[in-house]
Amino acid sequence: MSPRSASVNEELRRRSRERLLQAAVELVGEHGYEATTLGDIADRAGSARGLVSYYFPGKRQLVQSAVHRLMHRTLEESVEREPRTEDGRERMARAIDAILRLARDRPVLMRQHMAGLLQAEGFVQCPEQQRLAELLRDVVARHGSQDVDVDYPMLRSLLMGAVYAMVLPNVPMSITTMRAELFERYRLDWKMGVPPDSGAASDTTYETDLSRFFATGEESETRLGRPKQ
């Protein structure tokens, strides 16, 4: 049997990493961070346990990368959904709604994510975090920012504050309250995006199947609307 080509090996490594990211999001969302071990994640992903450390320095880095992946793919899907629009205010509304829905629908996962960001290391510099930053910067630019380098960190901070308020144990703020605050800040009409009290909101509630956000095969790229290369 001839050895696998470099491109085949690279594709296998990519899929293995994707499965670990998906497994991390699923297990932390189901059982919490402390109750989830790297072994659990490897088992759910169908990977050798020693392979986890090949891709990630530790559990915190893996989980943070996994949540950033979920966030940027959710944001991308929301902003680019049909009917597509170049209206900067509508795209800002969709972006805000996407992040707030994650906080509403996945409080355990997002609570752990916020706790990880408050540790000394802060953001994990990974492709998933960088892509999320690129998407948010694009939203800010299309909204009409005159200085994206100033306005992007402000949007990021406001979204983080809203998520934190929504996932606080026992005293969470409602998505309606936090959305109203952000929409007023960015001068958006309530009917933009997907208002939580609208009929359309029923189509964007909690989903258990996250496979479309993790490209473990060519079909995942197709579902996200990307052509096969």
Side-chain angles (χ1 to χ4, degrees):
M1 180 181 295
S2 60
R4 290 194 297 256
S5 67
S7 61
V8 170
N9 285 330
E10 179 61 28
E11 174 65 11
L12 291 173
R13 286 192 292 268
R14 182 188 67 80
R15 294 191 187 191
S16 179
R17 185 177 186 277
E18 294 286 320
R19 286 194 294 269
L20 289 170
L21 291 171
Q22 181 177 344
V25 162
E26 292 174 349
L27 286 169
V28 173
E30 292 168 11
H31 306 295
Y33 181 79
E34 296 299 333
T36 300
T37 68
L38 288 175
D40 295 332
I41 294 171
D43 290 346
R44 173 70 67 91
S47 299
R49 299 191 179 194
L51 192 60
V52 180
S53 60
Y54 176 81
Y55 297 108
F56 304 97
K59 184 170 76 168
R60 192 181 74 83
Q61 291 85 351
L62 167 54
V63 172
Q64 194 174 128
S65 292
V67 177
H68 277 138
R69 165 60 67 82
L70 177 62
M71 291 175 70
H72 92 61
R73 285 285 174 86
T74 299
L75 179 62
E76 182 178 52
E77 184 178 80
S78 179
V79 170
E80 300 297 342
R81 67 175 171 80
E82 296 295 338
R84 293 194 74 257
T85 180
E86 298 301 321
D87 184 332
R89 296 177 71 234
E90 172 64 21
R91 292 174 75 89
M92 176 67 78
R94 293 182 182 187
I96 291 171
D97 282 341
I99 301 303
L100 295 188
R101 287 199 306 271
L102 279 176
R104 179 196 64 189
D105 295 342
R106 303 184 185 279
V108 173
L109 186 66
M110 297 305 289
R111 187 181 302 130
Q112 170 50 46
H113 182 60
M114 295 302 298
L117 295 181
L118 293 173
Q119 295 185 16
E121 297 87 347
F123 282 108
V124 171
Q125 297 300 314
C126 62
E128 285 74 26
Q129 186 275 325
Q130 292 166 5
R131 180 57 180 147
L132 175 62
E134 291 171 3
L135 286 168
L136 286 175
R137 288 178 67 90
D138 181 69
V139 166
V140 169
R142 291 174 187 246
H143 187 253
S145 171
Q146 300 302 305
D147 191 341
V148 175
D149 290 335
V150 171
D151 294 336
Y152 155 66
M154 176 59 70
L155 174 61
R156 183 185 65 195
S157 297
L158 290 170
L159 288 172
M160 289 174 63
V163 169
Y164 181 81
M166 290 177 64
V167 301
L168 278 174
N170 303 320
V171 288
M173 299 290 286
S174 72
I175 187 172
T176 302
T177 300
M178 300 316 301
R179 186 180 195 265
E181 288 291 321
L182 289 169
F183 270 44
E184 181 178 2
R185 168 68 172 76
Y186 288 100
R187 300 180 181 179
L188 305 173
D189 298 333
W190 185 259
K191 64 183 180 181
M192 291 179 165
V194 185
D197 53 355
S198 72
S202 62
D203 296 328
T204 55
T205 52
Y206 184 84
E207 297 177 80
T208 56
D209 183 8
L210 301 176
S211 59
R212 71 185 186 282
F213 296 127
F214 299 90
T216 56
E218 291 182 345
E219 69 280 358
S220 299
E221 300 296 317
T222 301
R223 281 198 298 270
L224 284 169
R226 298 188 181 89
K228 299 177 183 178
Q229 301 297 316

